[in-house]
Amino acid sequence: MIPSSIEKAIVGDITATLNRIGIMYRIFSRAKDVRSLKRKIYSKSKYLEGVAKIQDLIGIRIVLYFPDDIELVHKVMSATYVERRKDASIDDLDDNTFKPVRYNLVYELPSQSFYELDCEYSHFVDSTFELQIRTVLSEGWHEVEHDLRYKFQDDWRQSSTESRKLNGVYASLETNEWTMIRILEEVAYKHYKQKNWEAMLRQKLRLRIQNFELGEDINQLFNSDIELAKKFFRVDREELISELYNKGFDYPLTLKNLVWFANAIFVRNETILGNTPEEFVEEYS
């Protein structure tokens, strides 16, 4: 198969998977042309000497809205594709280091997929694709850094102070990302105290939900039983999304369906179970 057709198929599969669990993201992709492939082969001796192969003929980037989704998406992708763990580039920085974090993963091509390259460089290419995971606020920084510093390192050899300043911009963005999550959590808690249940769940879950109406029955139940509402407020977001994936959730992502699902998996309130369609309960209990 030509790289562009494989690229399109993989992007389609990833998009369907992430849409099903409601993750907020953007996705970008490209397949190297022959000129780019040749340039990379001749840029490093390890390719010419046969020590390593090109693993990013297809490159895909998932740009997430929130940094706490990075590891979650990694787990989901590695449950979907075969990961070459030894080839991953994930920076593990200590507490005193602030610098750009690489989160680059390498996966084997899906079964029945293989590259057909009509050029003399086909033996330099591995049967893999690269997946990068970024966040929205860091994405623009990475684009600037890659195009103006990484590609032209000689331009920066006598500009260590400026290089540190550029990294400082990244540090500020990373801090702002975690601050943003904390702000959303505070807003969710404020709505919990005010009994605004739809707003509470909307800000807590941070998912791409199709319909935010809980319905009168759930709203009234939460109003009459604050302890029950608290149980839903305390459902762990990461565990909920993981279970959506693990259980193969394929119902529309509405707020009511998510409450039914969270109740079937975590809370087990009998009143909500009694108001949930029987087939839904049977499938996810």
Side-chain angles (χ1 to χ4, degrees):
M1 299 174 64
I2 60 174
S4 59
S5 63
I6 300 177
E7 172 199 352
K8 184 177 180 180
I10 294 173
V11 168
D13 288 342
I14 292 175
T15 299
T17 298
L18 297 183
N19 286 350
R20 194 167 65 248
I21 59 178
I23 291 291
M24 303 183 81
Y25 73 99
R26 293 288 185 266
I27 190 166
F28 305 91
S29 65
R30 62 100 185 98
K32 287 185 181 296
D33 57 24
V34 174
R35 185 172 60 179
S36 296
L37 177 60
K38 179 181 178 181
R39 185 185 306 119
K40 183 156 187 176
I41 291 170
Y42 283 93
S43 68
K44 296 181 180 178
S45 60
K46 64 180 182 179
Y47 300 128
L48 292 170
E49 295 170 359
V51 176
K53 289 190 173 184
I54 302 291
Q55 295 184 309
D56 65 339
L57 184 64
I58 288 176
I60 298 171
R61 182 178 302 158
I62 299 173
V63 180
L64 301 170
Y65 284 28
F66 306 110
D68 56 344
D69 285 338
I70 292 177
E71 291 190 14
L72 177 61
V73 169
H74 183 181
K75 291 176 183 177
V76 168
M77 291 297 99
S78 294
T80 306
Y81 303 102
V82 177
E83 182 182 350
R84 297 269 188 94
R85 292 187 179 275
K86 65 179 180 61
D87 296 328
S89 298
I90 303 175
D91 291 332
D92 185 16
L93 305 181
D94 59 51
D95 295 341
N96 299 314
T97 303
F98 247 130
K99 61 179 289 190
V101 177
R102 290 176 303 168
Y103 213 104
N104 300 345
L105 309 170
V106 176
Y107 291 100
E108 296 182 8
L109 293 179
S111 58
Q112 311 304 316
S113 297
F114 55 91
Y115 292 131
E116 289 182 354
L117 299 176
D118 186 21
C119 69
E120 59 185 295
Y121 306 111
S122 58
H123 61 286
F124 290 105
V125 178
D126 207 350
S127 56
T128 57
F129 68 94
E130 183 183 73
L131 177 66
Q132 298 179 350
I133 303 179
R134 301 277 189 266
T135 56
V136 168
L137 293 187
S138 69
E139 170 65 2
W141 185 96
H142 277 281
E143 288 292 312
V144 172
E145 192 276 340
H146 184 267
D147 288 350
L148 293 176
R149 182 168 62 170
Y150 177 77
K151 284 185 175 180
F152 303 100
Q153 296 180 29
D154 285 344
D155 293 1
W156 292 78
R157 296 203 184 280
Q158 297 181 8
S159 299
S160 58
T161 299
E162 288 76 12
S163 191
R164 282 169 52 82
K165 288 179 180 178
L166 189 60
N167 285 351
V169 172
Y170 181 85
S172 298
L173 291 173
E174 184 176 324
T175 302
N176 289 338
E177 285 178 330
W178 291 106
T179 301
M180 180 171 61
I181 292 176
R182 181 58 184 162
I183 291 170
L184 295 174
E185 290 173 345
E186 291 171 355
V187 171
Y189 181 72
K190 182 178 292 186
H191 285 298
Y192 161 73
K193 298 295 287 185
Q194 296 173 349
K195 298 183 180 180
N196 299 326
W197 309 123
E198 292 174 358
M200 175 193 80
L201 291 170
R202 179 162 50 241
Q203 300 301 324
K204 173 185 169 57
L205 295 177
R206 294 181 273 124
L207 294 175
R208 193 165 278 147
I209 295 173
Q210 300 170 15
N211 186 316
F212 288 103
E213 295 181 4
L214 273 179
E216 193 63 28
D217 55 338
I218 295 177
N219 272 304
Q220 288 184 358
L221 185 59
F222 283 1
N223 285 333
S224 63
D225 189 346
I226 301 302
E227 287 302 311
L228 175 61
K230 183 187 291 186
K231 290 180 181 179
F232 281 91
F233 180 74
R234 290 181 172 176
V235 168
D236 185 90
R237 177 179 178 273
E238 182 178 346
E239 290 182 8
L240 175 65
I241 298 172
S242 294
E243 285 300 310
L244 287 172
Y245 177 78
N246 294 334
K247 300 291 187 182
F249 188 83
D250 58 358
Y251 286 81
L253 271 181
T254 66
L255 201 55
K256 178 177 280 191
N257 282 346
L258 287 172
V259 167
W260 285 347
F261 182 82
N263 187 63
I265 300 297
F266 302 107
V267 181
R268 302 298 298 171
N269 175 267
E270 292 298 331
T271 302
I272 296 178
L273 285 174
N275 292 330
T276 305
E278 185 176 345
E279 64 273 13
F280 192 105
V281 177
E282 290 177 353
E283 187 169 356
Y284 297 118
S285 295

